[in-house]
Amino acid sequence: MKKVLLLLSILAIMSSCVTLPQDSDRTISSSGTALLKVSPDEAHVIVAVETLEKTAELSKNKNAQISDAIYAALYKLNIPRDSIETDYFNIYEEFEWHPVRGQESKGFKTAHTIRITTTHFDNVGPIVDAAVDAGATRIQSIDFDISEAKKSSIKKQALADASKDAREKAEAIASGLGAELGDVVSVSDSSYDYMPYPMMSAAMDATVAKEEIARTTISPKQLEVSATVQVVYEIED
């Protein structure tokens, strides 16, 4: 009986010391990238209306009058109502420093920026003209961008191309090691990026901006869309 118990104890110790190989530990990690050049399909013009008056009420009302005139001018260009929206609105008291009297109120400023979106690039110049002639104070910026609908399909394409690049790299590594790729263990989308193309990226006095646009040929460059993915594969002999 003692011999049987001793044998069972030895077998139990031996079984607890055995470690089976883990195939899942044999992996290859690969990074894939893609860079697409895409033509923009919409333009954004942001115009600013600023009014400074003795009271907040006067400032707001004057700003509203100018803004309404800008909207009316844009409607005459057949710009759809849903393509015109308020980007920013604020009313605040503005001060200046006097060396003798100290801080003094200059009045109340109303700042209103309006974003106009168009898919017709030939409209950019007329939009600026109409806004300035109607009383816009500044042209905040003009840029060319990708619409949301197009952005979705471009992102899918960029990620698909990046995934393909990751697999090709992993296959090359596995081939060099005399192995083959197995199943995908994990995938992570580490980056997706693009930047709109700025025709005018800094705020400019309305009259100056109008003159600049008149001298500029509107032919936006292609945008660069990039994507990167990280993929981990199992490897097989």
Side-chain angles (χ1 to χ4, degrees):
M1 185 65 177
K2 291 182 179 180
K3 290 182 178 180
V4 174
L5 292 174
L6 179 60
L7 179 60
L8 290 174
S9 299
I10 293 171
L11 289 174
I13 293 171
M14 289 178 63
S15 64
S16 66
C17 293
V18 174
T19 303
L20 297 177
Q22 299 293 320
D23 291 338
S24 60
D25 290 338
R26 302 181 61 200
T27 60
I28 291 177
S29 178
S30 178
S31 174
T33 60
L35 180 64
L36 304 180
K37 289 187 178 294
V38 183
S39 296
D41 62 343
E42 66 181 22
H44 302 289
V45 181
I46 300 181
V47 304
V49 180
E50 295 178 338
T51 50
L52 182 65
E53 298 293 335
K54 291 183 178 180
T55 68
E57 184 71 17
L58 287 172
S59 178
K60 177 180 70 67
N61 290 343
K62 184 175 181 180
N63 194 287
Q65 290 175 357
I66 298 172
S67 298
D68 287 345
I70 292 174
Y71 273 73
L74 294 173
Y75 294 151
K76 289 181 180 179
L77 294 177
N78 296 318
I79 304 298
R81 291 178 182 269
D82 59 359
S83 296
I84 309 169
E85 59 184 345
T86 293
D87 199 58
Y88 173 81
F89 186 87
N90 193 17
I91 302 175
Y92 56 93
E93 189 171 9
E94 190 166 84
F95 297 90
E96 65 179 353
W97 178 259
H98 190 277
V100 177
R101 296 186 297 272
Q103 181 174 274
E104 293 183 329
S105 175
K106 294 177 63 178
F108 289 84
K109 176 172 281 189
T110 301
H112 182 196
T113 57
I114 304 169
R115 176 187 294 266
I116 305 105
T117 301
T118 181
T119 57
H120 302 288
F121 296 158
D122 289 343
N123 278 344
V124 172
I127 286 172
V128 171
D129 290 346
V132 174
D133 292 343
T137 311
R138 291 180 291 110
I139 303 301
Q140 194 75 17
S141 65
I142 301 172
D143 59 60
F144 296 91
D145 205 347
I146 305 172
S147 63
E148 289 300 323
K150 188 174 182 179
K151 200 178 295 182
S152 177
S153 63
I154 292 299
K155 181 176 182 178
K156 290 177 182 177
Q157 182 63 52
L159 291 173
D161 289 353
S163 299
K164 182 180 178 182
D165 182 53
R167 183 171 187 86
E168 289 175 350
K169 289 177 180 176
E171 286 175 341
I173 295 171
S175 177
L177 297 173
E180 293 184 358
L181 286 187
D183 295 334
V184 174
V185 176
S186 66
V187 181
S188 62
D189 169 14
S190 58
S191 73
Y192 167 77
D193 190 37
Y194 87 98
M195 288 291 292
Y197 165 65
M199 180 178 177
M200 195 187 80
S201 57
M204 189 178 294
D205 177 82
T207 304
V208 175
K210 181 178 177 180
E211 294 173 354
E212 286 292 325
I213 297 300
R215 291 195 295 265
T216 303
T217 301
I218 300 174
S219 53
K221 299 177 182 178
Q222 288 189 313
L223 306 179
E224 290 188 347
V225 179
S226 63
T228 303
V229 297
Q230 298 284 342
V231 188
V232 179
Y233 297 91
E234 291 181 347
I235 56 174
E236 303 171 347
D237 293 332

